[in-house]
Amino acid sequence: MTKSKLTMKNLAQIVGAIGLSATLMACNPASQDPETTWRDTTLTPSERANLLLEAMTLEQKQQQLVGNVPEIVPELPHCYGARHVRGIAELGIPTLRITNGPVGIGQNDCVDANIINENSPFWAAYTDPSSAKATALPSAMAVAASFDTNMAALFGQVIADEAKALALQVFEAPGVNLARNPVLGRNFEYNGEDPYLAGKIATAQIKKIQSEGVIAMAKHYAANEQETNRMNISQTVAPQVLHELYLLPFEMAVKDGEVASLMCSYNDVNGHQMCENEALLTGVLRDMWGFEGYVQSDFFAVKSTAKSMKAGLDHLMPQPLFWSPEKLNAALSSGELEVSDIDLALKRRYTQMFKMGIFERPIVQTPMDIAGGGEKARVIGQNSVVLLQNNSTLPFATSTQSVLVIGKASQVYAQQAVAGGVMVGKPMGAGGGSSDVVPHYTIAPVDGIKNVLKELGNTSVQVELALIEDDNSNLAQYAQAIRGADAIVIMVGSIAEEGADRATLSNESGVGEVVSMGDTLDWYTEHPNQITTVTRTDDKPLNPEHNSNTIEMISQVLAVSGNIAAKTALVMKNNAGISLPKSSDIIGAAGPAIVEAWFPGQEDGHIVADVLWGKVNPSAKSPVTYPYSGMGFLDAIKGDARYFPGIEVNGKGAVEYLEGLNIGYRWYDANISGQCNLTPQGTNSCVAFPFGHGLSYTEFEVSEPELSVTDTGIVVRAAVKNIGARAGAEVVQVYAGIPSEEQPPKRLVAFDKVSLEPGESREVEISIRFDASSHPFSTFDVASNQWVMPKGEHLVHVGTSSSPADLQSLSFDH
């Protein structure tokens, strides 16, 4: 009886409590409102995401998984966009607005709504040049050339500032694919041929961008090293090679940068399409690396419903397609998916959005600091220009009275500011690549020279522009101007763009024979974002290649009487490293000064002139190798389509990374072709300018390095002294030689940039941990699925480039 009475009493108490709770809820329903609950900023981002999901219907969740078809952005009626996920006002979920990169705020979620009508093409929302304007920064390759994480962070600051001004919350960058193929159309969007450099530069950008509340998205995961046939290509990459090269920058971005998002790519990797590649999206990315962010698809890359979500994809862009409500509901009904799968995908993204403060930030556009963005772009560019060769020509005297700028009439380099895909007579953004930025202004080369010399006190300089025809037929008429000029600036380069590689192919399918590689300064096409072919149905080329005869033009200019080379600067604006002729009139002591400016962006004219006239002292290093023509990696693989562009296997293009670990400078170091021997001077006979090379207007002396070894890593010390007459900066580079026969001779494992006044000396101390995310002294063991540090003598090379001539060597035993 006692137990029964107690039970009844407890029941009465429970009923009373329920009544009281109901009364309180009636008086104050907001106290249990899920919107109020998840708005509690004292909760963790993960807790807030869970509470938000509890408040959502299945229909709402499905809508939030995908991008929207082109439409007016709800919060910004002047913007017509197709890079967003429409918000849910009743739940307080903001519209998530995305912009492309990686060379500025590229194609974003706002083209002019007034120009859109029923006749507008489908792609107008993605590519129309009325897209919201931003700062066109130097290319990602240029930022990598700075070998300076401070420059990478400055780049990230511009991105964050302008994203917030335009009310954008996600930046689809940095790009961390590697320059395996020197003619890859998107090399300018990436950070060069070395995975450590790529990861280091990307991590610095990510940290700065995300510290300002903008989501960064490392891309394109993974092994997305060609544009040819990119949506139907299958890459075969040995697991060890995959981890040690192509996954390494992503691993650094995840572990060191805590990147909030990754983008999965179009291609297949080892038999599985990347957006449904469970081994890489879950097994490596989350289980091995501990990634806590979300994975977004590249645009139109997804090819399945349940399979992609189960593999680890969280967000499909740009439209519902395979994740439409109909397809999702069918997968739920069949048991292929559960609601918990949808919840997990959304939770990963919402957690990052809460972490960045996106739910609390109103979608309101504010004035952009146009001048400030331009100033930062100029600084980044100044620190990214590589002085490859000088011979005492540069800097030009500030008292220069006559300057002759020479370029090809068919090409942009001497005529316009250069970005990826820019074409003659058309503004930036005309190339069609998703990274294209529509700038507020541009500085052409001639204007830049005049402006810089005026800043240096020279207001009387005369600058003439000579545009030479492809066949060089009008060059002779400039002979007198060449002889009479105080300074000659020849501008050349290799324009590239998303959608195509710089190569002429035998057919439009993207597999088969390469007719010619676009790895020289002579090769160009009128439309850099279209793959060239030698035939089509009417026997005419689709996008024919042209020969600009640029090398011949340079030689003819230098051949004009009067020691022309001594007053000539050859300025290259390249997508990546280009092959150069092994001729004494261009390369060597008798040649002109040679400067690599990459794609400088909107401040092109100022950036190049700042370096040529010594307003700044160049300090950059090349993130790629420049081979001699006929002696490069592409020459060695020509004729074997398995390397590039692929052979057809089961209806797909199939590419094999047959060079294994030997890409970039590693390929030349290992002498894979058999013709790249070391000269008596310690240089490589195939290489015009090595990875990590770059000169200065002053000179540096690096002392004999010292090495200390601890249980956790090594410390390298070396004194660097500026023995020249002006302030400058040197990059101390550390390479490791791993005791394993399968490894290339060396790999970059650390670098440090030091600025010094004339006569100043400073000890550089570089600490490298054995357990660093870059795995500096380890190899990936496939059998155990982990990194292992080999036993034996580890070499440590310290110097100022990857060339043995510029390195001093030490060693330690492990």
Side-chain angles (χ1 to χ4, degrees), residues 148 161 196 235 546 553 594 628 633 717 747 778:
D148 190 343
D161 290 346
Y196 174 77
Q235 263 102 351
H546 300 277
M553 178 191 74
I594 302 178
Y628 285 121
F633 167 68
R717 296 180 181 86
R747 63 169 74 161
S778 295

Side-chain angles (χ1 to χ4, degrees), residues 389 391 393 406 475 482-483 488-490 550-570 581 583-588 590-594:
Q389 177 173 292
N391 300 333
T393 300
I406 301 174
L475 180 59
I482 291 170
R483 282 191 290 268
I488 298 169
V489 182
I490 304 173
T550 293
I551 296 298
E552 179 61 26
M553 178 191 74
I554 297 168
S555 294
Q556 287 188 30
V557 170
L558 297 175
V560 174
S561 60
N563 192 18
I564 300 304
K567 61 177 182 180
T568 299
L570 174 62
S583 57
S584 58
D585 64 334
I586 297 177
I587 308 295
I594 302 178

Side-chain angles (χ1 to χ4, degrees), residues 174-491:
V176 295
N177 297 105
L178 300 182
R180 168 190 182 254
N181 185 348
V183 298
L184 168 64
R186 301 182 84 170
N187 272 333
F188 72 96
E189 297 187 32
Y190 306 140
N191 294 325
E193 67 189 27
D194 182 82
Y196 174 77
L197 176 64
K200 196 74 174 175
I201 294 297
T203 295
Q205 285 184 27
I206 290 164
K207 286 183 174 180
K208 176 53 70 173
I209 291 167
Q210 296 190 166
S211 72
E212 298 287 342
V214 176
I215 289 174
M217 183 179 293
K219 67 181 187 183
H220 304 88
Y221 189 73
N224 188 202
E225 276 78 33
Q226 76 176 58
E227 289 297 283
T228 302
N229 203 23
R230 65 176 178 174
M231 292 192 177
N232 193 39
I233 199 78
S234 178
Q235 263 102 351
T236 299
V237 192
Q240 180 183 357
V241 175
L242 194 61
H243 280 272
E244 292 187 19
L245 292 178
Y246 302 100
L247 294 181
L248 190 63
F250 290 100
E251 184 174 0
M252 294 172 69
V254 168
K255 292 182 175 179
D256 299 339
E258 297 183 0
V259 69
S261 183
L262 261 68
M263 178 187 287
C264 56
S265 51
Y266 295 113
N267 53 300
D268 292 10
V269 174
N270 295 336
H272 300 279
Q273 201 277 325
M274 267 312 306
C275 291
E276 54 188 45
N277 194 323
E278 185 174 3
L280 294 180
L281 291 181
T282 298
V284 171
L285 184 57
R286 294 187 167 99
D287 296 343
M288 185 179 291
W289 297 348
F291 177 62
E292 296 182 350
Y294 69 97
V295 176
Q296 176 195 296
S297 71
D298 206 340
F299 280 34
F300 303 104
V302 178
K303 300 178 181 179
S304 64
T305 304
K307 190 174 182 180
S308 57
M309 188 178 291
K310 283 288 190 181
L313 179 66
D314 304 303
H315 185 200
L316 185 151
M317 286 294 290
Q319 299 181 18
L321 300 176
F322 283 94
W323 283 12
S324 66
E326 295 77 17
K327 290 183 181 295
L328 289 172
N329 286 331
L332 290 169
S333 297
S334 68
E336 294 177 277
L337 284 178
E338 298 177 1
V339 174
S340 60
D341 296 318
I342 293 175
D343 286 350
L344 178 59
L346 287 173
K347 180 182 178 179
R348 287 168 174 160
R349 179 161 61 83
Y350 287 153
T351 298
Q352 297 303 319
M353 291 173 66
F354 281 123
K355 185 177 178 181
M356 301 293 164
I358 290 172
F359 279 83
E360 283 69 52
R361 195 160 66 236
I363 298 178
V364 177
Q365 293 183 338
T366 56
M368 185 180 292
D369 183 4
I370 297 171
E375 290 169 1
K376 292 181 179 68
R378 185 171 178 178
V379 169
I380 294 167
Q382 290 169 342
N383 285 273
S384 300
V385 174
V386 182
L387 180 61
L388 293 170
Q389 177 173 292
N390 194 3
N391 300 333
S392 301
T393 300
L394 297 177
F396 290 132
T398 57
S399 59
T400 303
Q401 288 301 296
S402 61
V403 179
L404 180 63
V405 178
I406 301 174
K408 286 290 181 176
S410 60
Q411 299 186 6
V412 298
Y413 310 107
Q415 302 182 60
Q416 303 166 218
V418 174
V422 66
M423 293 179 279
V424 176
K426 295 186 177 182
M428 286 186 179
S434 57
S435 68
D436 292 344
V437 178
V438 182
H440 295 277
Y441 69 89
T442 62
I443 305 296
V446 169
D447 293 333
I449 292 170
K450 292 178 180 178
N451 293 345
V452 168
L453 284 172
K454 184 177 180 180
E455 292 168 2
L456 294 171
N458 181 346
T459 59
S460 56
V461 67
Q462 298 296 310
V463 184
E464 181 181 357
L465 176 62
L467 296 177
I468 310 304
E469 300 299 333
D470 277 1
D471 62 3
N472 296 323
S473 59
N474 65 330
L475 180 59
Q477 73 186 56
Y478 291 101
Q480 184 175 346
I482 291 170
R483 282 191 290 268
D486 294 333
I488 298 169
V489 182
I490 304 173
M491 293 191 172

Side-chain angles (χ1 to χ4, degrees), residues 123-136:
W123 283 104
Y126 302 97
T127 63
D128 193 89
S130 69
S131 178
K133 295 180 179 180
T135 299

Side-chain angles (χ1 to χ4, degrees), residues 22 54 74 88 96 175 210 232 268 290 335 352 381 400 408 421 491 500 546 677 692 697 700 711 722 744 770:
E54 290 176 8
I88 302 176
L96 183 69
Q210 296 190 166
N232 193 39
D268 292 10
Q352 297 303 319
T400 303
K408 286 290 181 176
M491 293 191 172
H546 300 277
N677 300 304
Y697 294 152
F700 299 95
D711 291 338
N722 183 346
F770 295 142

Side-chain angles (χ1 to χ4, degrees), residues 438-775:
V438 182
H440 295 277
Y441 69 89
T442 62
I443 305 296
V446 169
D447 293 333
I449 292 170
K450 292 178 180 178
N451 293 345
V452 168
L453 284 172
K454 184 177 180 180
E455 292 168 2
L456 294 171
N458 181 346
T459 59
S460 56
V461 67
Q462 298 296 310
V463 184
E464 181 181 357
L465 176 62
L467 296 177
I468 310 304
E469 300 299 333
D470 277 1
D471 62 3
N472 296 323
S473 59
N474 65 330
L475 180 59
Q477 73 186 56
Y478 291 101
Q480 184 175 346
I482 291 170
R483 282 191 290 268
D486 294 333
I488 298 169
V489 182
I490 304 173
M491 293 191 172
V492 300
S494 58
I495 281 293
E497 184 65 289
E498 176 185 3
D501 299 312
R502 286 177 54 86
T504 303
L505 308 177
S506 60
N507 58 68
E508 294 180 43
S509 69
V511 296
E513 181 185 358
V514 176
V515 178
S516 65
M517 292 286 192
D519 61 336
T520 73
L521 294 170
D522 290 336
W523 189 100
Y524 78 98
T525 60
E526 293 179 4
H527 304 284
N529 64 331
Q530 294 178 11
I531 293 173
T532 61
T533 57
V534 294
T535 59
R536 62 181 188 188
T537 53
D538 56 3
D539 295 325
K540 294 181 180 179
L542 178 67
N543 182 30
E545 68 173 278
H546 300 277
N547 185 350
S548 65
N549 290 296
T550 293
I551 296 298
E552 179 61 26
M553 178 191 74
I554 297 168
S555 294
Q556 287 188 30
V557 170
L558 297 175
V560 174
S561 60
N563 192 18
I564 300 304
K567 61 177 182 180
T568 299
L570 174 62
V571 177
M572 301 192 295
K573 301 175 184 179
N574 283 314
N575 173 47
I578 201 91
S579 68
L580 295 169
K582 199 170 189 177
S583 57
S584 58
D585 64 334
I586 297 177
I587 308 295
I594 302 178
V595 166
E596 177 61 82
W598 316 108
F599 294 167
Q602 69 182 50
E603 282 284 332
D604 181 330
H606 287 152
I607 290 167
V608 173
D610 284 337
V611 171
L612 296 186
W613 273 269
K615 186 171 183 179
V616 298
N617 189 354
S619 62
K621 302 285 185 174
S622 179
V624 287
T625 302
Y626 294 80
Y628 285 121
S629 298
M631 305 180 76
F633 167 68
L634 292 178
D635 300 295
I637 68 169
K638 191 173 182 180
D640 191 340
R642 293 176 301 166
Y643 287 90
F644 173 79
I647 61 175
E648 186 171 344
V649 177
N650 298 324
K652 277 184 174 288
V655 169
E656 296 181 65
Y657 286 30
L658 296 171
E659 72 284 357
L661 295 169
N662 298 296
I663 72 164
Y665 65 90
R666 306 176 191 212
W667 189 86
Y668 297 96
D669 282 352
N671 194 10
I672 302 300
S673 67
Q675 59 178 334
C676 300
N677 300 304
L678 285 183
T679 69
Q681 294 76 32
T683 59
N684 191 299
S685 60
C686 290
V687 175
F689 301 110
F691 174 90
H693 168 74
L695 305 176
S696 171
Y697 294 152
T698 189
E699 292 184 64
F700 299 95
E701 187 177 76
V702 180
S703 71
E704 183 176 343
E706 297 177 354
L707 177 65
S708 301
V709 184
T710 69
D711 291 338
T712 58
I714 69 168
V715 179
V716 176
R717 296 180 181 86
V720 183
K721 185 176 183 180
N722 183 346
I723 59 174
R726 64 177 293 171
E730 180 61 283
V731 180
V732 178
Q733 302 165 42
V734 182
Y735 296 83
I738 309 300
S740 171
E741 292 184 359
E742 65 188 4
Q743 289 291 316
K746 62 179 178 289
R747 63 169 74 161
L748 181 70
V749 294
F751 60 85
D752 190 14
K753 195 167 194 174
V754 55
S755 298
L756 299 169
E757 294 296 319
E760 184 182 4
S761 179
R762 189 178 308 164
E763 184 177 83
V764 174
E765 182 175 294
I766 300 175
S767 297
I768 308 171
R769 291 185 60 89
F770 295 142
D771 63 354
S773 65
S774 57
H775 309 286

